[in-house]
Amino acid sequence: QVQLAEAGGGLVQAGGSLRLSCATSGGTFSSYTMGWFRQAPGKEREFVAGISRSGLSTLYADSVKGRFTISRDNAKNTVYLQMNSLKPEDTAVYYCAADRRDWGVVRAAGQYDYWGQGTQVTVSS
C-alpha cells in the first residue's frame, strides 16, 4: 500500500514563501513520476508541477512558472515544492500524487495513481 503524506502548509502573507514536502512509503519512490496539484474552494483540482523519476525533467503550470520549484530526493523518498512570491490566488489545498507509469510528466490528475490527504496553504493579502 503506497502512502503519501504532505507537510509544510500554513498561513503566509502575500510575497512570502513556503516549502511543501511529501513523504512516500510502501512503494518504490524512484519508480514514480511525482506531481503537485491544488484545489481551491469551488474550483476543480488543477496541476501545479510535476517531476520525472530521475528528477531531470520538470513541468509547471503557467500560473506558477518562475515562482514555484519542484524537486525530489529519491534517497529520502520525498518530493518538495518550494513556493516563492506567493499570491492570494495560490490559496488552496495542495496534494501530492504519484504516477506508476513511465510516460513522462503529465498534467492530467486522472493519470496519477496515488494521492496524499492534502495540506492547506493560505496566502493573505
Side-chain angles (χ1 to χ4, degrees):
Q1 181 76 9
V2 178
Q3 294 185 323
L4 288 71
E6 302 94 340
L11 174 63
V12 64
Q13 289 187 333
S17 299
L18 283 174
R19 188 193 195 203
L20 305 183
S21 63
C22 173
T24 68
S25 60
T28 306
F29 179 75
S30 60
S31 69
Y32 302 139
T33 296
M34 299 300 296
W36 284 98
F37 291 77
R38 66 187 182 187
Q39 187 167 18
K43 295 188 177 181
E44 292 187 354
R45 190 168 299 189
E46 65 173 355
F47 174 81
V48 175
I51 189 166
S52 64
R53 296 175 170 189
S54 66
L56 295 178
S57 178
T58 58
L59 184 66
Y60 295 93
D62 288 344
S63 58
V64 307
K65 200 172 295 183
R67 300 188 297 123
F68 291 10
T69 302
I70 189 172
S71 62
R72 66 188 296 160
D73 185 337
N74 285 349
K76 295 183 178 180
N77 295 341
T78 301
V79 62
Y80 304 95
L81 186 67
Q82 178 67 44
M83 305 186 295
N84 299 328
S85 302
L86 282 161
K87 305 174 180 180
E89 50 263 45
D90 294 317
T91 295
V93 177
Y94 283 71
Y95 299 89
C96 67
D99 176 5
R100 296 175 299 171
R101 287 159 285 258
D102 187 17
W103 51 23
V105 182
V106 296
R107 298 175 183 268
Q111 303 296 348
Y112 288 78
D113 302 287
Y114 307 110
W115 292 83
Q117 294 298 308
T119 185
Q120 176 71 47
V121 171
T122 303
V123 184
S124 63
S125 57

